[in-house]
Amino acid sequence: MLQPPPAEPGMREEEVDTPALLLDLDAFEHNLDLMARLLEPTGAKLRAHAKTHKSPVIALRQMARGAVGQCTQKVAEAEALAWGGVPDILVSNEVVGARKLARLAALARIAKVALCVDDPAQIAAAEAAAADAGIRLSVLVEIDIGTGRCGVAPGPEAVALAERIAASRHLVFGGLQAYHGSAQHMRTPAQRRAAIAAAADGARRTVEQLRQRGLECPIVGGGGTGTFALEAGSGVYTEIQAGSYCFMDADYARNEEAPPFRQSLFVLATVMSAARPGVAVVDAGHKAVPIDSGMPLVWGRDPDVRYTRASDEHGGLVVAPEARNPPKLGEKLRLVPGHCDPTVDRYDWYVGVRGGRVECLWPVAARGGMA
Amino acid sequence: MLQPPPAEPGMREEEVDTPALLLDLDAFEHNLDLMARLLEPTGAKLRAHAKTHKSPVIALRQMARGAVGQCTQKVAEAEALAWGGVPDILVSNEVVGARKLARLAALARIAKVALCVDDPAQIAAAEAAAADAGIRLSVLVEIDIGTGRCGVAPGPEAVALAERIAASRHLVFGGLQAYHGSAQHMRTPAQRRAAIAAAADGARRTVEQLRQRGLECPIVGGGGTGTFALEAGSGVYTEIQAGSYCFMDADYARNEEAPPFRQSLFVLATVMSAARPGVAVVDAGHKAVPIDSGMPLVWGRDPDVRYTRASDEHGGLVVAPEARNPPKLGEKLRLVPGHCDPTVDRYDWYVGVRGGRVECLWPVAARGGMA
């Protein structure tokens, strides 16, 4: 159930077994440095989202460059990070169910942990779990500032929840969770600016109403890879929750004025069939490279070679008649995932490469951590 | 990296932690029995496809009801089955790369193993691996009978490959792989009948040409859950490779005259947010229930409650204004996956339920087995 690593340190990239999750370490480190540099003048801090990478190794590298902590979506991800030495974790999501809350409260003994709520019943359940564990939990109120998923409306409804948290004996009011997910992939800069201006307005108004009731917001969190500069420059967001920036993917690359990061994450695949002219088949279908955000790209070969069709275990490539270098049976190709988050979650190992050689194998520690 | 089981035997279903992969054992056993009954008069045998279930526990239950063996798409799946006691395994796919071939050849000491080819270079590589391991491998020729993926054209090209296999010292010609994947989800019975009639013609013609050259086909394999009755009734197919029949999914249910099996596979999810009227959010997004073949259905609640939007970790439900029983925060709902194969591959454990109680936990032994 745990798959063996597809490579060993020192191997050449073309020796790596496939499909494999490849991390170009130079591009990855460039991305970490660039994000730190971009945020520095804004005063906003990075709390990178670990739902993307699911790895305490990567989390600690982000924190070494100034990130104040990590976000997760799931308790299982928070566990993997805390057990791996990450000291400050926000579950940027509602946590529903006594078993999950007990697991999260248990983590509070080894890390600073926080979670989000959008309903009074969640506050009562978090209070019970914290009391039972004999610890205090930090609780943020999630506000819906445009995505229409979780969260209460900005303003009085959010204030009422914050006051209820502050009045709970084992809870601390941690601030506002104000992530606008659907803005990340709006294609034009104008759309993104308008969306985040409205989001920041809602957050600012709520912060002010809280202050009038004597409640300060230690965290106002939000911002993803598509919009982080807007939240960071808003003057209201204190923490940026970007995840994909360290890897990038084909869908973020489709944004106009795409995020300024390099592609560091790839799925290495082998051409397993080239029986007919004009087409080839690789051994990575949608189980190896999920297609929820579109097909992967063939790195360095587009538009001569395009991945146009994904079945469970096969990727269908169309090869242009004029292609100078059509894929050959047995050849290994780098694919750029359509969406980095679900792609990482398919694998047990990162294969870190630099200069054509395997340098490291990092476990995807929270792989499959959905609970 | 291996997730703990979300339940224990004896628990009530509503106590199972979420998201969880639920197997309704009564429906599952009904499906196994029904397939055995449907194939019995045709003379075609079942070689069930393990890419769907990835479990030797399930494989052995299929074989106890008459299946002659299992198919896999990957060597890693073949390993999990062979190590789990399955004695007869066909990798119904090309296997490219020396490392993969060596692993497959090593399995030949504990199970009967076979693989497919569509290129002379693959035959040479299989011969080298078999010689190196000191065993003989059974090799089938894949023919493309309509899907346009792997496989050579039926007829002379296939015959040439078969003769090359038969002339190889450590290989045995195993027959023809003639699976028509894209026919499985053709929506009308007339489309499926036409597609499989053409496929069977191509297979029959190739079998006859092989016979003229003195080569018999021990296996003519193909047929999935959408069309198996057509292949089984064709008189040319000897083995049926259906996989999904034991679980079913939302996409197969959309076929006109859908396969006659019961839905046995579910993702159990919890309502984690119900902050606004008309919508609710469950803790199963597309990482928990992949959407390559469409959105999941909410079991027993459709059309009052519909799953309309999947993000990484959230499933958005739309609740009809007239719904008598809108989902409540904390409530657990069964989702019918859009596509069973990639959904199973997201989980480490099947939670087998019967009569509202957890009866067993079966590992998804080949979970993530892509190599």
Side-chain angles (χ1 to χ4, degrees):
Chain A
M1 299 161 82
L2 171 65
Q3 295 299 318
E8 285 171 36
M11 270 186 178
R12 284 177 292 114
E13 178 175 326
E14 52 275 30
E15 295 177 283
V16 174
D17 204 0
T18 63
L21 187 68
L22 226 60
L23 185 61
D24 179 323
L25 293 166
D26 284 337
F28 167 73
E29 290 164 7
H30 166 88
N31 292 344
L32 299 194
D33 290 337
L34 178 58
M35 179 59 98
R37 220 158 55 231
L38 291 172
L39 285 184
E40 205 281 327
T42 71
K45 301 298 182 189
L46 178 64
R47 181 183 290 277
H49 216 304
K51 83 183 178 73
T52 302
H53 60 67
K54 295 194 162 232
S55 159
V57 179
I58 290 178
L60 294 173
R61 270 158 181 71
Q62 291 170 320
M63 297 188 72
R65 282 158 171 95
V68 294
Q70 294 277 306
C71 292
T72 75
Q73 292 296 67
K74 299 286 189 167
V75 174
E77 295 167 346
E79 288 173 333
L81 293 185
W83 297 339
V86 175
D88 191 336
I89 301 162
L90 163 62
V91 183
S92 61
N93 207 358
E94 288 66 29
V95 177
V96 174
R99 188 184 187 216
K100 289 187 175 73
L101 285 165
R103 286 162 50 209
L104 189 66
L107 286 187
R109 301 207 172 272
I110 59 168
K112 191 173 163 196
V113 293
L115 73 160
C116 298
V117 298
D118 67 0
D119 191 289
Q122 295 157 355
I123 299 173
E127 166 67 15
D132 203 47
I135 52 96
R136 296 189 89 188
L137 278 171
S138 174
V139 181
L140 283 73
V141 173
E142 180 163 10
I143 55 175
D144 172 20
I145 37 73
T147 288
R149 198 168 64 183
C150 301
V152 296
E157 211 181 334
V159 173
L161 289 178
E163 291 187 316
R164 195 183 277 250
I165 294 165
S168 299
R169 191 159 162 200
H170 296 86
L171 305 182
V172 180
F173 174 59
L176 295 177
Q177 171 67 14
Y179 175 63
H180 194 332
S182 54
Q184 304 309 311
H185 295 269
M186 290 177 178
R187 291 301 180 213
T188 72
Q191 290 171 315
R192 298 194 294 272
R193 271 196 305 273
I196 301 307
D201 274 353
R204 188 178 293 112
R205 186 159 36 91
T206 311
V207 169
E208 283 161 8
Q209 292 174 16
L210 285 163
R211 191 165 293 151
Q212 286 161 13
R213 309 299 297 254
L215 286 172
E216 291 297 322
C217 281
I219 297 174
V220 179
T225 295
T227 66
F228 71 93
L230 300 168
E231 284 91 345
S234 70
V236 61
Y237 283 84
T238 66
E239 291 188 356
I240 297 302
Q241 301 177 341
S244 303
Y245 80 97
C246 63
F247 298 148
M248 289 295 288
D249 58 34
D251 199 46
Y252 266 122
R254 282 188 278 268
N255 278 4
E256 284 178 36
E257 300 181 21
F261 303 99
R262 291 188 192 156
Q263 186 65 40
S264 69
L265 189 82
F266 302 91
V267 168
L268 192 69
T270 299
V271 178
M272 56 178 283
S273 173
R276 279 158 309 127
V279 297
V281 181
V282 291
D283 62 353
H286 60 69
K287 281 183 183 172
V289 54
I291 57 170
D292 56 277
S293 299
M295 294 293 155
L297 304 174
V298 185
W299 182 246
R301 305 290 273 272
D302 198 47
D304 277 3
V305 183
R306 288 182 308 115
Y307 187 119
T308 59
R309 183 174 163 188
S311 47
D312 282 3
E313 307 284 10
H314 299 85
L317 308 183
V318 171
V319 184
E322 66 276 15
R324 277 157 308 179
N325 182 20
K328 285 176 282 294
L329 184 67
E331 184 178 354
K332 289 178 181 170
L333 299 173
R334 283 184 174 194
L335 306 178
V336 177
H339 188 182
C340 54
D341 299 37
T343 301
V344 167
D345 201 31
R346 301 298 303 129
Y347 291 85
D348 292 300
W349 303 95
Y350 289 99
V351 179
V353 294
R354 197 187 314 263
R357 292 269 177 187
V358 176
E359 180 173 306
C360 58
L361 291 160
W362 293 341
V364 185
R367 194 277 324 151
M370 288 184 271
Chain B
M1 299 162 81
L2 170 66
Q3 295 300 318
E8 286 172 35
M11 272 187 178
R12 284 176 293 113
E13 179 175 326
E14 51 274 30
E15 295 177 283
V16 174
D17 204 1
T18 63
L21 187 68
L22 226 60
L23 186 61
D24 178 323
L25 294 165
D26 284 337
F28 167 72
E29 291 165 5
H30 166 88
N31 292 345
L32 299 194
D33 290 338
L34 178 58
M35 179 59 98
R37 221 160 50 234
L38 291 171
L39 286 184
E40 206 281 326
T42 72
K45 301 298 181 190
L46 178 65
R47 181 183 291 276
H49 216 303
K51 85 183 175 73
T52 303
H53 60 68
K54 295 195 163 231
S55 159
V57 180
I58 290 178
L60 293 173
R61 271 160 180 70
Q62 291 171 321
M63 297 188 72
R65 283 159 172 94
V68 294
Q70 294 277 306
C71 291
T72 75
Q73 291 297 67
K74 300 286 188 168
V75 175
E77 294 167 347
E79 288 173 332
L81 294 185
W83 297 339
V86 175
D88 191 336
I89 301 163
L90 163 62
V91 183
S92 60
N93 207 359
E94 287 66 29
V95 176
V96 174
R99 188 184 187 216
K100 289 186 174 74
L101 285 165
R103 287 162 51 210
L104 189 67
L107 287 188
R109 299 207 172 273
I110 60 169
K112 192 174 160 195
V113 294
L115 74 161
C116 298
V117 298
D118 67 0
D119 192 289
Q122 295 158 355
I123 298 172
E127 166 67 16
D132 203 47
I135 52 95
R136 297 190 89 189
L137 278 172
S138 174
V139 180
L140 283 72
V141 173
E142 180 162 10
I143 55 175
D144 172 20
I145 37 72
T147 288
R149 198 169 63 184
C150 300
V152 295
E157 212 182 334
V159 173
L161 289 178
E163 291 186 317
R164 193 183 279 252
I165 294 165
S168 300
R169 191 159 160 199
H170 296 86
L171 306 181
V172 180
F173 174 58
L176 295 177
Q177 171 67 13
Y179 175 62
H180 195 333
S182 54
Q184 303 309 312
H185 295 270
M186 290 177 178
R187 292 303 182 212
T188 72
Q191 289 170 314
R192 298 194 295 272
R193 269 196 305 272
I196 301 307
D201 274 354
R204 186 177 294 111
R205 186 160 34 93
T206 311
V207 169
E208 283 162 9
Q209 292 175 15
L210 285 163
R211 190 164 293 151
Q212 286 161 12
R213 308 299 297 253
L215 286 171
E216 292 296 322
C217 281
I219 296 175
V220 179
T225 296
T227 64
F228 72 94
L230 300 168
E231 283 92 345
S234 70
V236 61
Y237 282 86
T238 66
E239 292 188 356
I240 296 303
Q241 301 178 340
S244 304
Y245 80 96
C246 63
F247 297 149
M248 288 295 287
D249 58 34
D251 199 46
Y252 266 122
R254 283 189 275 269
N255 277 5
E256 284 178 37
E257 300 182 19
F261 303 98
R262 293 188 191 156
Q263 187 63 40
S264 70
L265 189 82
F266 302 91
V267 168
L268 192 69
T270 299
V271 178
M272 54 178 284
S273 173
R276 280 159 309 127
V279 297
V281 180
V282 291
D283 62 353
H286 60 69
K287 280 183 182 171
V289 54
I291 57 170
D292 56 277
S293 300
M295 295 293 155
L297 304 174
V298 185
W299 182 245
R301 305 290 273 271
D302 197 49
D304 277 4
V305 183
R306 287 180 309 115
Y307 187 120
T308 59
R309 183 175 165 187
S311 47
D312 282 4
E313 306 284 11
H314 299 84
L317 308 184
V318 171
V319 184
E322 66 278 14
R324 276 158 307 180
N325 182 19
K328 286 177 280 295
L329 183 68
E331 185 177 353
K332 288 178 181 169
L333 299 173
R334 283 185 175 193
L335 305 178
V336 177
H339 188 181
C340 53
D341 298 37
T343 301
V344 167
D345 201 31
R346 300 299 303 128
Y347 292 85
D348 292 300
W349 303 94
Y350 290 99
V351 179
V353 294
R354 197 186 313 262
R357 293 268 177 188
V358 176
E359 182 173 305
C360 58
L361 290 161
W362 293 341
V364 184
R367 194 277 323 152
M370 289 184 271

